[in-house]
Amino acid sequence: MLTIHKLLPQGQGLAKVLLQRAATVELDWDVRQKSRFAATDSQGRELAIFLPRGQAVRGGDVLVAEDGSLIRAIAAPQRVLKITACATHGTAFDLVRAAYHLGNRHVPIELQPDHLKIEPDHVLADMLRSLHMTVVAADLPFEPEGGAYGGHVTNDGHSHHHHSHGAEHAHGHGHAHSHSHSHSHAHAPAQPAGGCGHAQPKAQGASGAGCGHCDHHDHAHHPGQGCGG
């Protein structure tokens, strides 16, 4: 068994040829956010990882074993919700609004220029569709933004506090606020200002495509695109 106490963020300082020759270990976010875990690398070797407490492993980071062996971490595909602005009647600003509301709920969230990713949550999926977002389930690597998970240190060395919530309630008002307690009840979100004013749809499962607000439109949609109506 290889014991590992050291991590090089994104293989910093290593020659490209060393990175190419390194063994790999494929891990989902549930494992990579831990500082102590066991795994098996691409060469079949058992690994015992003991990183500084609070250290998270990102895809592309390199683990250094006590014998000098290098193991490059790969972010494994996992089930996530991919969130995009509705292609039919949405705008780029809708993605900003969605990120704001998700941030208010302190959930791990990956930010990309044209989409967001979160872990599966049917309550949040319904809330996002009420904001006219397109939400689809997919198996993709998940790299949440630093600070969106509890007590872990990002590769830039910053520590972040964790807020724990149960099934969240959605707020229809537009000011930021913080909570120091958990919520165990859910309320339907109010229609946000600036929405397109479409009638609220029936609740959809997390894997359904589209924001679901175009059922009464006269124009046709292809399955899995736009509003999914």
Side-chain angles (χ1 to χ4, degrees), residues 18-202:
L18 291 178
L19 294 175
Q20 293 172 337
R21 292 175 181 174
T24 59
V25 61
E26 194 167 344
L27 307 165
D28 64 20
W29 176 244
D30 283 343
V31 174
R32 288 185 292 110
Q33 66 177 304
K34 300 174 183 177
S35 55
R36 286 160 172 74
F37 58 91
T40 302
D41 72 8
S42 58
Q43 297 180 6
R45 298 175 299 183
E46 295 184 0
L47 311 176
I49 293 87
F50 300 94
L51 299 174
R53 190 166 298 278
Q55 176 78 65
V57 180
R58 297 286 182 173
D61 288 349
V62 174
L63 302 168
V64 183
E66 288 185 335
D67 68 353
S69 297
L70 303 177
I71 302 97
R72 181 166 51 87
I74 296 174
Q78 63 185 79
R79 184 49 55 115
V80 296
L81 298 182
K82 184 176 180 180
I83 304 149
T84 56
C86 179
T88 302
H89 63 273
T91 68
F93 179 74
D94 292 338
L95 206 61
V96 176
R97 180 190 293 123
Y100 168 81
H101 283 281
L102 290 171
N104 262 359
R105 286 153 181 79
H106 310 292
V107 297
I109 175 173
E110 178 177 337
L111 305 176
Q112 295 294 336
D114 60 348
H115 70 272
L116 311 173
K117 290 180 203 166
I118 62 172
E119 294 174 301
D121 186 309
H122 70 90
V123 174
L124 293 179
D126 288 343
M127 182 272 290
L128 290 163
R129 291 191 180 99
S130 78
L131 297 175
H132 310 307
M133 306 305 297
T134 297
V135 182
V136 295
D139 291 319
L140 297 167
F142 185 48
E143 293 282 9
E145 188 75 5
Y149 50 90
H152 289 81
V153 177
T154 60
N155 288 334
D156 60 9
H158 294 128
S159 180
H160 303 276
H161 183 64
H162 174 64
H163 301 267
S164 176
H165 290 266
E168 300 293 340
H169 63 272
H171 301 273
H173 49 274
H175 61 272
H177 55 278
S178 61
H179 296 275
S180 58
H181 56 277
S182 299
H183 300 281
S184 58
H185 55 279
H187 302 290
Q191 179 63 35
C196 68
H198 293 251
Q200 292 286 341
K202 294 181 180 179

